[in-house]
C-alpha cells in the first residue's frame, strides 16, 4: 500500500481528498493536516510515500515543509489556480492538480505515482520552483524531464525547440539536446519573451538568430535553418526589426 498524507489548510478540501483517496486501489491515507507546523510533526510519525500538498498554507507554504523533510516521498501539489504558482511548479517539472480536484485527473496523477513511486522530486527541482514562486514567476532556469533523467537548463543555453507528435526536442548549446514528452505550446508559455514562434513546430531563442532569408526561413549562427510559416512572416519581420 502506498501511504498518503493530505496537507491543505481548507478542512473541506482535506475531507474531499480523503474521500477520493478511499476509492483508490493501493493507497491508504495515513494522516492529514492544515499547517506547516502540524506537517512537520505528523510526517515523521506517519512516514508517507506520497504527499498531496497545498502550496499556500496558513503559516507558510508547502515548500517550507519540504525544506525540512527527511524521508523521501513523491509529491503532488494541489493548488487553486494562480498563474505564478502553476508556472513555478512547471519550471520545476513537478506534478500538480488544480482545485477543485477532478477525480479523473487525480486518477491520472496517481497512475504516475504507481509507476514511479521511487522517482521522488530532486532538491534542485524544488529550489527552482520555490525561487520562481517567491519571485512571482521570474526565473532563469527550467527543469526538463526526459524518460531517463531530469536536466536543469538555463534559458540562455536553449538555442531552439522543435515539436513532433506531442514531444518537444530542446536543442542546446554545445550540440546537446533533450527530448521531453510535453507540447511546445506549454514551453512557449514558460520561456521568456525573447523566444519567438516563427512556425507552429518551432520556438527560437532570438539571441542565436543570424539572419532572415526572404524565401521564408531563419538561419541560426551555427547554420541551422528554421522555417517561417506564411502566416507568421509579418510577425517575424516585425519582431526582428524591433517593432515587437
Amino acid at each position: 500500500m502506498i501511504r498518503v498524507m493530505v496537507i491543505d489548510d481548507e478542512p473541506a478540501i482535506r475531507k474531499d481528498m480523503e474521500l477520493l483517496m478511499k476509492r483508490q486501489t493501493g493507497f491508504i491515507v495515513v494522516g492529514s493536516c492544515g499547517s506547516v507546523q502540524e506537517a512537520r510533526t505528523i510526517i515523521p510519525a506517519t512516514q508517507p510515500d506520497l504527499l498531496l500538498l497545498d502550496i499556500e498554507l496558513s503559516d507558510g507554504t508547502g515548500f517550507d515543509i519540504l525544506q525540512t523533510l527527511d524521508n523521501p516521498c513523491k509529491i503532488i501539489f494541489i493548488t487553486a489556480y494562480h498563474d505564478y504558482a502553476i508556472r513555478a511548479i512547471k519550471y520545476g517539472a513537478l506534478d500538480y492538480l488544480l482545485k477543485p480536484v477532478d477525480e479523473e485527473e487525480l486518477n491520472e496523477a496517481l497512475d504516475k505515482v504507481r509507476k514511479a513511486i521511487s522517482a521522488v522530486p530532486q532538491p534542485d527541482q524544488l529550489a527552482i520552483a520555490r525561487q520562481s514562486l517567491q519571485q512571482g514567476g521570474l526565473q532563469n532556469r527550467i527543469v526538463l524531464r526526459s524518460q531517463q533523467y531530469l536536466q536543469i537548463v538555463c534559458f540562455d543555453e536553449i538555442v531552439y525547440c522543435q515539436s513532433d507528435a506531442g514531444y518537444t526536442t530542446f536543442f542546446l548549446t554545445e550540440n546537446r539536446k533533450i527530448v521531453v514528452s510535453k507540447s511546445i505550446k506549454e514551453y512557449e508559455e514558460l520561456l521568456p519573451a525573447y523566444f519567438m514562434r516563427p512556425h507552429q513546430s518551432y520556438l527560437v531563442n532570438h539571441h542565436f538568430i543570424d539572419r532572415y532569408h526572404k524565401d521564408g526561413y531563419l538561419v541560426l549562427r551555427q547554420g541551422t535553418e528554421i522555417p517561417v510559416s506564411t502566416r507568421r512572416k509579418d510577425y517575424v519581420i516585425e519582431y526582428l526589426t524591433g517593432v515587437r
Side-chain angles (χ1 to χ4, degrees), residues 136-151:
L138 297 175
Q139 186 55 260
N140 62 357
R141 296 176 297 163
I142 191 170
V143 177
L144 302 178
R145 178 188 287 162
S146 74
Q147 291 183 335
Q148 293 82 26
Y149 52 86
L150 295 168
Q151 180 70 53

Side-chain angles (χ1 to χ4, degrees), residues 79-135:
T79 181
Y81 185 76
H82 292 295
D83 183 60
Y84 70 92
I86 299 304
R87 288 172 67 88
I89 292 169
K90 289 181 177 180
Y91 278 137
L94 299 163
D95 294 320
Y96 70 95
L97 296 168
L98 292 176
K99 298 179 185 178
V101 173
D102 178 81
E103 187 166 8
E104 185 174 342
E105 292 180 357
L106 175 63
N107 292 340
E108 292 176 2
L110 295 178
D111 280 342
K112 292 181 184 178
V113 173
R114 290 186 182 98
K115 294 174 183 176
I117 189 61
S118 61
V120 298
Q122 301 301 307
D124 286 334
Q125 280 180 274
L126 300 173
I128 288 172
R130 178 170 188 153
Q131 180 186 355
S132 178
L133 183 69
Q134 291 172 336
Q135 296 178 354

Side-chain angles (χ1 to χ4, degrees), residues 49-221:
D49 304 303
L50 169 66
L51 298 182
L52 298 177
L53 179 61
D54 192 9
I55 291 182
E56 297 180 357
L57 301 168
S58 58
D59 59 344
T61 72
F63 290 102
D64 295 327
I65 296 169
L66 301 177
Q67 193 171 22
T68 58
L69 193 65
D70 290 328
N71 59 303
C73 57
K74 186 73 175 171
I75 299 159
I76 298 176
F77 286 101
I78 303 172
T79 181
Y81 185 76
H82 292 295
D83 183 60
Y84 70 92
I86 299 304
R87 288 172 67 88
I89 292 169
K90 289 181 177 180
Y91 278 137
L94 299 163
D95 294 320
Y96 70 95
L97 296 168
L98 292 176
K99 298 179 185 178
V101 173
D102 178 81
E103 187 166 8
E104 185 174 342
E105 292 180 357
L106 175 63
N107 292 340
E108 292 176 2
L110 295 178
D111 280 342
K112 292 181 184 178
V113 173
R114 290 186 182 98
K115 294 174 183 176
I117 189 61
S118 61
V120 298
Q122 301 301 307
D124 286 334
Q125 280 180 274
L126 300 173
I128 288 172
R130 178 170 188 153
Q131 180 186 355
S132 178
L133 183 69
Q134 291 172 336
Q135 296 178 354
L138 297 175
Q139 186 55 260
N140 62 357
R141 296 176 297 163
I142 191 170
V143 177
L144 302 178
R145 178 188 287 162
S146 74
Q147 291 183 335
Q148 293 82 26
Y149 52 86
L150 295 168
Q151 180 70 53
I152 298 170
V153 175
C154 292
F155 293 149
D156 290 344
E157 295 179 274
I158 302 171
V159 180
Y160 70 97
C161 311
Q162 181 178 3
S163 69
D164 182 21
Y167 289 82
T168 300
T169 301
F170 282 75
F171 291 85
L172 310 177
T173 54
E174 299 176 354
N175 294 317
R176 297 169 295 151
K177 67 179 181 179
I178 179 171
V179 180
V180 298
S181 57
K182 290 186 181 295
S183 71
I184 200 168
K185 179 174 175 55
E186 180 163 334
Y187 292 106
E188 182 180 20
E189 296 170 355
L190 291 176
L191 294 173
Y194 56 80
F195 282 83
M196 61 180 296
R197 188 89 177 266
H199 187 281
Q200 65 177 1
S201 299
Y202 291 86
L203 269 174
V204 180
N205 184 338
H206 81 227
H207 297 132
F208 290 96
I209 296 174
D210 182 67
R211 61 189 181 275
Y212 169 71
H213 197 282
K214 65 180 181 179
D215 287 342
Y217 59 89
L218 297 168
V219 180
L220 305 188
R221 291 178 185 173

